[in-house]
Structure formats: C-alpha cells, structure tokens
Amino acid sequence: MIDGTEIKLGETSFLCPPAPFACVRKYEDIFTGKSDASLNQMADILFTSLRRNYPELKQEEFEFQNLDIANFREAFRVCLSVNQPQETEPGEAAAGKS
C-alpha cells in the first residue's frame, strides 16, 4: 500500500495515495491551481489516485457504489491535499515518509 489519507466513501474506507505523475502531468493546470476541474476531471483524478492502492477497482462500479453527491467534493479535496508537494531539504524524506 502506498501511504496516503484514509477516506470513507459509501460503506468502504480507502487509503488515498498521491496521484501518479502521469495524472499530474495530464491535469497540470488543475494541480497548480491555474484552472478549475470539471466533475469528470475530478472523478478521473480521484479514481486514478485510488487505483494505485486498489488495482482491482472498476471505475463505473466505484462511482456507482462509493461516490455520491454528499461525499464527492470532500473526497476530491482529500485527494488534492494528498497531492500537495512537501517541502524538504535535499536528501531528506518528506515528513512522515521514510
């Protein structure tokens, strides 16, 4: 499991890790705050991040069973907070990482 932040979506708890770099590159303007994310982009970023720890996860099933209007924005907020770069000195691991 890749370290991250736990989020409960529906009846299931997930450990949300940082997004893979390919996702960050694809949605660079969103991650850097240059543009707002559409609902589709938010769902893709969240799913891509979670898929790192849950490779068996199917997007359509996940969106139907785990996401809803009440938890979607909070789940995306958690996902973005996990993706904030951590300031470290050269050669030093980020806080909480080893």
Side-chain angles (χ1 to χ4, degrees), residues 27 30 35-46 76:
Y27 298 111
I30 294 166
S35 70
D36 293 330
S38 70
L39 288 176
N40 285 333
Q41 291 169 325
M42 291 167 70
D44 287 347
I45 291 168
L46 177 60
F76 185 68

Side-chain angles (χ1 to χ4, degrees), residues 3-5 16-19 77-86 97:
D3 195 23
T5 301
C16 184
R77 186 198 64 73
V78 167
C79 181
L80 283 185
S81 72
V82 170
N83 284 286
Q84 294 301 309
Q86 303 296 317
K97 311 277 190 217

Side-chain angles (χ1 to χ4, degrees), residues 63-78:
E63 290 178 3
F64 184 76
Q65 292 180 2
N66 302 103
L67 288 180
D68 57 46
I69 198 69
N71 68 18
F72 181 68
R73 290 205 183 270
E74 176 62 13
F76 185 68
R77 186 198 64 73
V78 167

